[in-house]
Protein backbone atom coordinates (compact mmCIF):
# COMPACT_ATOMS: atom_id res chain seq x y z
CA UNK A 1 0.00 0.00 0.00
CA UNK A 2 2.83 2.36 0.85
CA UNK A 3 4.51 1.69 -2.50
CA UNK A 4 1.28 2.43 -4.35
CA UNK A 5 0.74 5.63 -2.33
CA UNK A 6 4.26 6.76 -3.25
CA UNK A 7 4.25 5.72 -6.90
CA UNK A 8 0.70 6.20 -8.12
CA UNK A 9 -0.62 9.72 -8.37
CA UNK A 10 -4.21 10.42 -9.23
CA UNK A 11 -5.40 13.85 -10.26
CA UNK A 12 -8.42 15.38 -8.57
CA UNK A 13 -11.59 15.62 -10.63
CA UNK A 14 -12.21 19.11 -11.95
CA UNK A 15 -15.55 20.87 -11.69
CA UNK A 16 -15.87 20.63 -15.50
CA UNK A 17 -15.30 16.85 -15.45
CA UNK A 18 -17.85 16.46 -12.67
CA UNK A 19 -20.39 18.57 -14.55
CA UNK A 20 -19.85 16.56 -17.75
CA UNK A 21 -20.40 13.31 -15.81
CA UNK A 22 -23.53 14.78 -14.20
CA UNK A 23 -24.98 15.90 -17.54
CA UNK A 24 -24.26 12.51 -19.15
CA UNK A 25 -25.74 10.55 -16.22
CA UNK A 26 -28.62 12.71 -14.97
CA UNK A 27 -30.76 9.65 -14.18
CA UNK A 28 -28.32 8.61 -11.47
CA UNK A 29 -28.88 11.84 -9.59
CA UNK A 30 -32.54 11.79 -8.65
CA UNK A 31 -34.11 11.55 -5.25
CA UNK A 32 -35.97 8.33 -4.59
CA UNK A 33 -39.74 8.32 -5.07
CA UNK A 34 -41.73 8.05 -1.85
CA UNK A 35 -44.93 6.05 -1.60
CA UNK A 36 -47.50 6.17 1.16
CA UNK A 37 -49.34 2.87 1.08
CA UNK A 38 -51.54 0.50 3.01
CA UNK A 39 -51.98 -3.22 2.56
CA UNK A 40 -53.82 -6.28 3.71
CA UNK A 41 -51.57 -9.30 4.05
CA UNK A 42 -53.03 -12.75 3.82
CA UNK A 43 -50.03 -14.66 5.11
CA UNK A 44 -49.02 -18.01 3.63
CA UNK A 45 -45.87 -20.06 3.93
CA UNK A 46 -44.49 -20.68 0.42
CA UNK A 47 -43.64 -24.26 1.39
CA UNK A 48 -47.26 -25.12 2.31
CA UNK A 49 -49.15 -25.42 -0.98
CA UNK A 50 -52.55 -26.06 0.59
CA UNK A 51 -52.37 -23.01 2.88
CA UNK A 52 -50.98 -20.96 0.01
CA UNK A 53 -53.90 -21.87 -2.26
CA UNK A 54 -56.42 -21.05 0.48
CA UNK A 55 -54.68 -17.72 1.13
CA UNK A 56 -54.83 -16.85 -2.57
CA UNK A 57 -58.56 -17.61 -2.65
CA UNK A 58 -59.16 -15.47 0.45
CA UNK A 59 -57.10 -12.61 -0.96
CA UNK A 60 -58.93 -12.73 -4.29
CA UNK A 61 -62.27 -12.67 -2.46
CA UNK A 62 -61.20 -9.65 -0.39
CA UNK A 63 -59.91 -7.85 -3.50
CA UNK A 64 -63.27 -8.40 -5.21
CA UNK A 65 -65.14 -6.99 -2.20
CA UNK A 66 -62.81 -3.97 -2.09
CA UNK A 67 -63.36 -3.33 -5.79
CA UNK A 68 -67.02 -2.75 -4.93
CA UNK A 69 -66.45 -1.08 -1.51
CA UNK A 70 -63.04 0.65 -1.47
CA UNK A 71 -63.98 2.70 1.59
CA UNK A 72 -63.90 -0.53 3.65
CA UNK A 73 -60.14 -0.99 3.17
CA UNK A 74 -59.05 0.05 6.68
CA UNK A 75 -61.78 -2.01 8.32
CA UNK A 76 -60.91 -5.08 6.26
CA UNK A 77 -57.21 -4.60 7.04
CA UNK A 78 -57.95 -4.54 10.78
CA UNK A 79 -60.05 -7.69 10.44
CA UNK A 80 -58.07 -9.77 7.94
CA UNK A 81 -54.44 -8.64 7.69
CA UNK A 82 -51.68 -10.72 9.27
CA UNK A 83 -49.34 -7.71 9.31
CA UNK A 84 -48.80 -5.59 12.45
CA UNK A 85 -49.91 -2.63 10.31
CA UNK A 86 -53.46 -4.02 10.64
CA UNK A 87 -53.80 -1.99 13.84
CA UNK A 88 -53.43 1.17 11.72
CA UNK A 89 -55.86 0.01 9.06
CA UNK A 90 -53.00 -1.49 7.06
CA UNK A 91 -51.11 1.81 6.80
CA UNK A 92 -47.41 1.19 6.19
CA UNK A 93 -46.44 4.86 6.22
CA UNK A 94 -43.88 6.23 3.78
CA UNK A 95 -41.97 3.68 1.73
CA UNK A 96 -38.86 4.03 -0.39
CA UNK A 97 -36.91 1.53 -2.45
CA UNK A 98 -35.84 -1.37 -0.26
CA UNK A 99 -38.59 -0.85 2.34
CA UNK A 100 -40.63 -3.79 1.07
CA UNK A 101 -40.15 -6.87 -1.09
CA UNK A 102 -39.53 -6.42 -4.82
CA UNK A 103 -42.97 -7.67 -5.89
CA UNK A 104 -44.64 -5.12 -3.63
CA UNK A 105 -42.44 -2.31 -4.96
CA UNK A 106 -43.14 -3.23 -8.59
CA UNK A 107 -46.87 -3.10 -7.90
CA UNK A 108 -46.55 0.32 -6.22
CA UNK A 109 -44.60 1.70 -9.17
CA UNK A 110 -47.48 0.80 -11.53
CA UNK A 111 -50.27 2.19 -9.36
CA UNK A 112 -52.04 5.54 -9.40
CA UNK A 113 -52.87 7.41 -6.21
CA UNK A 114 -56.02 6.07 -4.57
CA UNK A 115 -55.87 2.80 -6.51
CA UNK A 116 -56.28 -0.62 -4.91
CA UNK A 117 -54.67 -3.58 -6.63
CA UNK A 118 -57.42 -5.44 -8.51
CA UNK A 119 -55.63 -8.74 -7.90
CA UNK A 120 -53.52 -9.74 -4.90
CA UNK A 121 -49.77 -9.33 -5.21
CA UNK A 122 -47.90 -12.52 -4.37
CA UNK A 123 -44.70 -12.44 -2.31
CA UNK A 124 -42.83 -14.87 -0.09
CA UNK A 125 -45.01 -13.65 2.81
CA UNK A 126 -48.31 -14.43 1.14
CA UNK A 127 -50.75 -12.23 -0.78
CA UNK A 128 -51.00 -8.46 -0.49
CA UNK A 129 -53.89 -6.25 -1.41
CA UNK A 130 -52.33 -2.81 -1.75
CA UNK A 131 -53.78 0.67 -1.70
CA UNK A 132 -51.56 3.52 -2.84
CA UNK A 133 -52.46 6.58 -0.81
CA UNK A 134 -49.92 8.99 -2.22
CA UNK A 135 -46.85 9.11 -4.45
CA UNK A 136 -44.11 11.71 -4.41
CA UNK A 137 -42.00 11.25 -7.52
CA UNK A 138 -38.25 11.63 -7.24
CA UNK A 139 -36.73 14.90 -8.39
CA UNK A 140 -33.52 15.78 -10.17
CA UNK A 141 -30.86 16.59 -7.60
CA UNK A 142 -28.97 19.83 -8.28
CA UNK A 143 -25.38 19.55 -9.45
CA UNK A 144 -24.07 21.44 -6.41
CA UNK A 145 -25.64 18.82 -4.16
CA UNK A 146 -23.89 15.87 -5.86
CA UNK A 147 -20.63 17.39 -7.11
CA UNK A 148 -18.51 16.05 -4.25
CA UNK A 149 -19.99 12.56 -4.65
CA UNK A 150 -19.25 12.64 -8.39
CA UNK A 151 -15.69 13.81 -7.73
CA UNK A 152 -15.23 10.89 -5.33
CA UNK A 153 -16.51 8.38 -7.89
CA UNK A 154 -14.33 9.78 -10.67
CA UNK A 155 -11.24 9.83 -8.46
CA UNK A 156 -11.87 6.27 -7.20
CA UNK A 157 -12.31 5.03 -10.77
CA UNK A 158 -9.14 6.79 -11.90
CA UNK A 159 -7.22 5.45 -8.89
CA UNK A 160 -8.35 1.90 -9.60
CA UNK A 161 -7.24 2.11 -13.24
CA UNK A 162 -3.93 3.73 -12.32
CA UNK A 163 -3.15 1.06 -9.72
CA UNK A 164 -4.06 -1.68 -12.20
CA UNK A 165 -1.76 -0.20 -14.81
CA UNK A 166 1.06 0.26 -12.30
CA UNK A 167 0.81 -3.36 -11.14
CA UNK A 168 0.75 -4.53 -14.77
CA UNK A 169 3.95 -2.55 -15.44
CA UNK A 170 5.61 -4.05 -12.35
CA UNK A 171 4.51 -7.56 -13.33
CA UNK A 172 5.76 -7.11 -16.90
CA UNK A 173 9.21 -6.05 -15.66
CA UNK A 174 9.43 -8.75 -12.97
CA UNK A 175 10.65 -12.30 -13.23
CA UNK A 176 7.87 -14.32 -11.65
CA UNK A 177 7.92 -18.10 -11.37
CA UNK A 178 5.23 -20.52 -10.27
CA UNK A 179 2.28 -18.47 -11.53
CA UNK A 180 1.26 -16.93 -14.83
CA UNK A 181 -0.29 -13.52 -14.08
CA UNK A 182 -1.17 -12.86 -17.71
CA UNK A 183 -2.81 -16.24 -18.42
CA UNK A 184 -6.35 -16.38 -19.69
CA UNK A 185 -7.31 -19.98 -19.04
CA UNK A 186 -10.90 -19.54 -17.85
CA UNK A 187 -13.98 -18.78 -19.94
CA UNK A 188 -14.50 -15.50 -18.09
CA UNK A 189 -11.00 -14.22 -18.79
CA UNK A 190 -10.39 -12.19 -21.91
Amino acid sequence: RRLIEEEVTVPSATAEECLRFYENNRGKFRSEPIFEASHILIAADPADERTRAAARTDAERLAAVLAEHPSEFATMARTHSACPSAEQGGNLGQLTRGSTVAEFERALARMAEGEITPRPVESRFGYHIIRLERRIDGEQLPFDFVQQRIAGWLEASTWSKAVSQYIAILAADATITGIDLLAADGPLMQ
Side-chain angles (χ1 to χ4, degrees):
R1 186 170 78 187
R2 185 172 166 193
L3 176 65
I4 288 172
E5 286 173 2
E6 290 175 5
E7 297 295 324
V8 177
T9 57
V10 178
S12 297
T14 66
E16 293 79 25
E17 291 166 333
C18 292
L19 181 59
R20 186 171 48 250
F21 186 87
Y22 175 81
E23 291 297 336
N24 290 330
N25 298 279
R26 291 180 73 83
K28 293 182 179 186
F29 305 107
R30 295 188 59 80
S31 63
E32 291 288 329
I34 300 171
F35 301 94
E36 185 177 335
S38 299
H39 81 141
I40 299 170
L41 171 63
I42 307 303
D45 181 349
D48 185 345
E49 290 181 30
R50 175 180 278 161
T51 302
R52 196 104 175 143
R56 171 179 273 174
T57 300
D58 288 347
E60 289 171 347
R61 181 183 53 78
L62 291 173
V65 170
L66 286 168
E68 297 295 321
H69 306 285
S71 63
E72 296 297 314
F73 193 95
T75 302
M76 292 181 83
R78 284 185 190 91
T79 307
H80 300 284
S81 185
C83 179
S85 68
E87 293 177 21
Q88 292 83 36
N91 191 310
L92 295 168
Q94 294 183 341
L95 305 169
T96 56
R97 186 172 41 147
S99 298
T100 64
V101 293
E103 302 88 351
F104 197 101
E105 289 179 10
R106 281 193 297 271
L108 282 177
R110 293 188 303 262
M111 295 175 71
E113 286 186 6
E115 183 180 0
I116 298 173
T117 51
R119 288 176 304 287
V121 175
E122 183 176 6
S123 79
R124 68 179 176 260
F125 300 108
Y127 296 90
H128 307 263
I129 302 165
I130 306 168
R131 180 175 64 188
L132 178 60
E133 312 290 348
R134 189 169 149 212
R135 170 200 309 259
I136 301 170
D137 290 322
E139 295 180 0
Q140 186 67 44
L141 297 172
F143 173 69
D144 294 341
F145 186 76
V146 296
Q147 182 178 359
Q148 290 303 317
R149 188 179 343 160
I150 293 171
W153 288 342
L154 292 176
E155 289 167 13
S157 175
T158 302
W159 181 86
S160 180
K161 289 175 188 170
V163 168
S164 232
Q165 290 172 351
Y166 180 68
I167 290 172
I169 290 168
L170 290 178
D173 290 343
T175 303
I176 300 171
T177 59
I179 187 169
D180 186 0
L181 295 177
L182 302 176
D185 293 334
L188 298 177
M189 301 298 290
Q190 298 183 11

